[in-house]
Amino acid sequence: MGYGKKIYDEAMARLEGRRRQAEAQAGQRLEAFYRQCPQAREVKGQMGSNAAKAAKAVLQGGDVRAELEKLRDRGVALQNEYEALLAGHGLSLASVSPQYACQACRDTGFVDGRMCGCLRQLQRALAYEGLSMRVPLGKSTFENFSLDYYQDDPRACQQMGNVLRVCKDYAARFRGDSSSLLFKGGTGLGKTHLSLAIAGQAIEKGFGVIYGSAQSFAVALEKERFDRPSPDGPGDANSQLVGCDLLILDDLGTEFPSQYVAAALYNVVNSRMLAAKPTIISTNLSMKDLEDRYSERFASRISGYYGKLEFIGTDVRVQMQQRRQARQ
Ligand SMILES: [Zn+2]
C-alpha cells in the first residue's frame, strides 16, 4: 500500500537519521579503541594498503596468482591480528561496527533494490500517527481504570467490573482477526479510557492501530473528498481507515452530520467487516438512533457483528468535580 510522497520522504529522513546516528556512534567507539590501542590503527592502515597492493598486482600482470596468494595470506594475518587486538580490549568487530536498527537493510530502507519491511512499517506508523488523535496512550491503561466511581451503584459496579474484564481479555488475546466491539453508554463512563487501553496493548504487540473521534475521521474524509486524489495511489485516509489492523472509532454520532460522511463511515465499517478486521466503536446512540442517523444497513451490520458492551453508571467527570467541590 502506498502512503504518498510526504510520508515516504519523512520515513526516509527518519531512516537516514537512524543510520547517521548508528554510524557516528560506531565511529566514536572505534576512535576510543584506537586511542587505547594505537597499534590497531596501524594494523588497520596496513590492511588498507595490502588490499590496494592486491588491486595493483592484478593490473600489472605477470605472476598474478602467486602474488595474490601471498597478499591474501598477509590480509588474513592482519585481520586476525586486528581482531586479537580488539579482543584484548574486550571488544569485537561487531562492537565497533554500526548497530543498525534494521540489520537487513542497514537502515537504508532497501535490500537489493527492493523496499525493506522496516521502511514499509515506518511509513505505516507515520500514516497512522497522522490520522490518530494526539492522546498520550500511557494515561489510559487498565491499571489506572478505577471502579471506585461505580461503588455507589451495585448494579453499575458489577456491570463495569464485567466490562473491564472483557476488555482486558480482549486486549490480551488481540489478533488481526479479533471480533469487533461496540461500547454503548453515556459520556464519562470510561468508553474512551478502555478503548485507548486496548489500543495501547495492540500497538505494543506490533499491530497498526488508528484511534480517533468520529468527528476527526469525518474531517479527514471530507477533506479528501475536496482535495484532488493523490497521484501516489491509495495512500488516503479512507484506505488507511479500512486497512489498519484495529480501528477505534470514538464517539460515533457526535460528528457534524453529513450524508457523505455517513456513507463513507458505512463503507469503512462494512469493508472492515468483509475483511474480518476488528473495529471498536463507542457511541451514546441506541440502535434506533444509529438506524435513523446513518442507515438501516449500518445499524444492522453493527448489531449483527459487534460484541456489545453496555457502560452504565454516573459520569465519572461529574463525580470527580463533585468530590473536588466537597473537599473545598
Ligand atoms: Zn530495513
Side-chain angles (χ1 to χ4, degrees):
M1 193 160 94
Y3 296 103
K5 186 174 182 322
K6 201 169 147 251
I7 282 179
Y8 175 82
D9 289 346
E10 195 181 335
M12 287 302 282
R14 286 211 195 175
L15 280 185
E16 192 187 337
R18 285 180 190 170
R19 193 169 69 240
R20 286 199 173 162
Q21 198 187 7
E23 285 166 1
Q25 284 169 349
Q28 284 167 6
R29 289 194 299 272
L30 193 62
E31 266 311 308
F33 168 55
Y34 286 163
R35 273 197 301 278
Q36 285 175 12
C37 178
Q39 197 192 341
R41 195 197 296 272
E42 216 163 278
V43 173
K44 192 76 186 175
Q46 286 168 12
M47 285 161 76
S49 59
N50 192 63
K53 272 185 206 158
K56 218 166 135 193
V58 172
L59 290 173
Q60 275 173 345
D63 191 359
V64 176
R65 203 161 144 200
E67 181 64 11
L68 277 183
E69 259 170 39
K70 207 179 81 190
L71 289 168
R72 196 194 56 207
D73 291 347
R74 172 89 179 121
V76 171
L78 286 168
Q79 179 74 27
N80 288 341
E81 192 182 346
Y82 186 73
E83 285 182 36
L85 289 170
L86 277 168
H89 287 78
L91 296 168
S92 66
L93 275 180
S95 53
V96 291
S97 304
Q99 313 282 307
Y100 295 109
C102 176
Q103 288 300 332
C105 70
R106 303 158 70 88
D107 295 348
T108 61
F110 289 88
V111 183
D112 299 332
R114 299 191 60 172
M115 191 182 284
C116 183
C118 74
L119 176 55
R120 219 169 282 126
Q121 164 77 28
L122 187 55
Q123 288 189 83
R124 190 172 76 150
L126 289 172
Y128 292 177
E129 246 173 54
L131 269 176
S132 292
M133 292 199 300
R134 308 263 178 270
V135 284
L137 281 177
K139 279 195 179 164
S140 298
T141 62
F142 289 119
E143 290 66 40
N144 66 16
F145 184 81
S146 170
L147 285 171
D148 286 356
Y149 293 105
Y150 307 92
Q151 291 308 351
D152 298 343
D153 176 351
R155 194 176 78 92
C157 191
Q158 195 194 7
Q159 171 66 6
M160 291 312 293
N162 281 338
V163 165
L164 176 60
R165 209 178 50 245
V166 170
C167 289
K168 268 186 174 169
D169 195 49
Y170 181 86
R173 294 166 191 245
F174 183 81
R175 305 192 322 189
D177 61 351
S178 284
S179 55
S180 291
L181 297 177
L182 178 71
F183 290 178
K184 258 172 87 343
T187 48
L189 296 178
K191 299 193 300 295
T192 301
H193 187 127
L194 288 183
S195 53
L196 290 177
I198 293 172
Q201 289 206 359
I203 289 169
E204 239 169 66
K205 290 186 186 183
F207 288 103
V209 179
I210 296 180
Y211 49 95
S213 64
Q215 174 59 27
S216 67
F217 294 149
V219 169
L221 291 166
E222 280 279 14
K223 186 172 176 294
E224 201 155 83
R225 177 191 183 193
F226 293 110
D227 290 353
R228 289 186 63 82
S230 90
D232 304 87
D236 50 19
N238 183 69
S239 66
Q240 285 158 23
L241 292 175
V242 170
C244 64
D245 298 319
L246 171 63
L247 175 67
I248 294 176
L249 180 50
D250 206 8
D251 264 340
L252 181 69
T254 57
E255 75 281 5
F256 189 76
S258 119
Q259 261 185 358
Y260 177 78
V261 167
L265 287 177
Y266 169 76
N267 174 53
V268 168
V269 165
N270 193 47
S271 304
R272 293 185 60 81
M273 196 198 78
L274 293 174
K277 284 171 176 287
T279 308
I280 297 176
I281 295 180
S282 77
T283 186
N284 198 4
L285 301 180
S286 67
M287 278 300 158
K288 178 78 177 67
D289 295 335
L290 285 176
E291 203 177 303
D292 293 345
R293 188 180 164 114
Y294 301 95
S295 63
E296 201 243 312
R297 325 181 273 178
F298 188 92
S300 81
R301 288 288 178 275
I302 291 175
S303 91
Y305 295 95
Y306 281 55
K308 277 163 274 307
L309 291 176
E310 293 271 357
F311 285 61
I312 58 173
T314 316
D315 190 335
V316 167
R317 278 162 277 191
V318 172
Q319 287 192 62
M320 283 165 83
Q321 204 177 5
Q322 284 167 348
R323 288 186 193 186
R324 266 199 303 275
Q325 280 164 354
R327 278 199 300 270
Q328 279 164 8

